[in-house]
Amino acid sequence: MPLAVVTASHSPLMRTVEPRGDARTAVDAAFAQARAFAADFRPDLVVVVAPDHYNGMFYDLMPPFCVGTAAEAVGDYGTARGPLAVDREAARHVVREVLAADIDLAMSERMVVDHGFAQPLELLFGAIDAVPAVPVFINCVAVPFGPVRRTRRLGEALGRALLALDRRVLLLGSGGLSHDPPLPTLEGAPPEVAARLIAGRHPTPEERAGREARVRDAGLAVASGEPGPRLNPDWDRAFLDLLAEGRLTAADTWTNTWITAEAGNSAHEVRTWLACYAALATAGPYAMRGSFYRPIPEWIAGFGITTAETRRNP
Ligand SMILES: O=C(O)CCc1cccc(O)c1O
Ligand SMILES: [Fe+2]
């Protein structure tokens, strides 16, 4: 059975901030292409690989990786709130097979997810519960992280587990590329911020609104002409080339310090892309069908969208 991949940056600012020029039109067109690609592939299972931003996962127990055998979205930044249509059997299969392949991962019968999962599901399929899904969380925000190669190996184990299902599986990777939105860090945080990062579940509506306003204001400031956030288009394009050319092991030598320095704290979200492509590669040689890139400072994102699938005649 073939596998397919769609990866897309996410940014909740897409809803509230108008970028200059034709960025909006270009991104819309790229998403339309990705939607057509996904529809064409006719997946009967979507494996969503995404990070969290202190909405579902906290420092009271932060797993590097976690598969949800059931999952619910918090509804941050205007995304839908409520359960994902988790294919429980498939999710359990993935947990069993990945563990058997020597990769430790957590599982959750009540995984809580945020815009990292919800936004691409809504943009690609219209709703968070429109497709049978297996949600795979990769910690890309709460330092420290394991080496990048570990996420590539997670992707390989994931790919082998999915091939064994003998279904049409689309992997949907969410996040990146270079960017650094104003997220707090535990290191040096004042006590009330630290408490929120350690166990910040169920914020009051006011707390959530305050936090979202801070990020939105950062985007609006750029849209009104203030100096933009640090993006690194060269780094982003090099990453896209690496994926297009199937040189996934080249990322094995990247240190986390280097990624942060080159591309920003949230650039670690590209781990989700790497895992998806490593999974895809287990089905045989693949071809990237679509690749979009645009640095969009107003959305605080080096914004990329790719589609790829197993080569039909290898
Ligand atoms: O407040 C948050 O949770 C961060 C929101 C956010 C903004 C820009 C790019 C992202 O990838 C992202 O996640
Ligand atoms: Fe993010």
Side-chain angles (χ1 to χ4, degrees):
M1 274 290 184
L3 298 175
V5 163
V6 173
T7 60
S9 303
H10 58 242
S11 170
L13 299 169
M14 285 175 74
R15 287 172 172 271
T16 45
V17 178
E18 224 29 66
R20 285 159 295 184
D22 67 345
R24 163 87 61 191
T25 319
V27 168
D28 282 352
F31 268 115
Q33 277 189 9
R35 265 193 298 279
F37 172 85
D40 237 36
F41 181 72
R42 287 179 294 104
D44 45 37
L45 182 67
V46 175
V47 174
V48 197
V49 184
D52 181 71
H53 313 74
Y54 303 110
N55 289 299
M57 300 289 182
F58 298 88
Y59 277 113
D60 57 0
L61 210 170
M62 180 61 71
F65 312 128
C66 183
V67 170
T69 47
E72 203 161 305
V74 295
D76 60 331
Y77 290 103
T79 54
R81 177 179 172 171
L84 273 55
V86 176
D87 182 328
R88 188 181 198 77
E89 276 309 302
R92 290 176 149 177
H93 165 86
V94 164
V95 173
R96 279 193 303 269
E97 292 302 308
V98 171
L99 287 172
D102 270 3
I103 302 290
D104 291 333
L105 87 177
M107 65 166 267
S108 172
E109 279 282 335
R110 286 186 195 176
M111 194 153 91
V112 175
V113 304
D114 68 8
H115 67 272
F117 286 82
Q119 189 172 58
L121 279 171
E122 291 185 335
L123 287 172
L124 267 296
F125 302 106
I128 59 169
D129 58 356
V131 285
V134 173
V136 179
F137 160 79
I138 295 182
N139 175 25
C140 303
V141 170
V143 289
F145 311 123
V148 157
R149 67 173 172 272
R150 197 76 180 164
T151 49
R152 183 178 58 72
R153 289 187 184 148
L154 167 74
E156 279 177 3
L158 188 58
R160 295 202 181 100
L162 297 174
L163 287 176
L165 282 175
D166 206 23
R167 292 169 69 176
R168 299 188 65 80
V169 183
L170 177 88
L171 292 119
L172 176 54
S174 172
L177 303 171
S178 64
H179 69 310
D180 209 343
L183 279 169
T185 53
L186 189 58
E187 176 85 21
E192 65 281 5
V193 175
R196 177 162 86 62
L197 302 184
I198 295 168
R201 293 175 191 84
H202 313 299
T204 65
E206 293 72 31
E207 284 167 340
R208 183 173 296 295
R211 191 181 146 186
E212 294 181 6
R214 251 193 318 281
V215 174
R216 191 186 57 237
D217 289 348
L220 287 172
V222 181
S224 75
E226 280 182 36
R230 208 168 46 89
L231 303 176
N232 188 340
D234 290 338
W235 190 88
D236 292 340
R237 292 201 174 92
F239 180 66
L240 291 169
D241 286 348
L242 177 157
L243 298 179
E245 293 159 16
R247 293 182 286 109
L248 305 183
T249 52
D252 283 5
T253 58
W254 297 358
T255 68
N256 292 331
T257 320
W258 179 79
I259 295 171
T260 306
E262 287 290 313
N265 285 297
S266 286
H268 294 277
E269 289 182 348
V270 301
R271 287 160 188 265
T272 64
W273 292 41
L274 211 49
C276 287
Y277 273 87
L280 176 62
T282 62
Y286 66 77
M288 196 180 262
R289 301 288 181 210
S291 179
F292 169 85
Y293 178 72
R294 183 82 72 103
I296 308 181
E298 295 90 341
W299 291 349
I300 320 185
F303 209 102
I305 303 173
T306 72
T307 58
E309 63 188 331
T310 309
R311 272 185 200 284
R312 277 182 273 265
N313 301 304

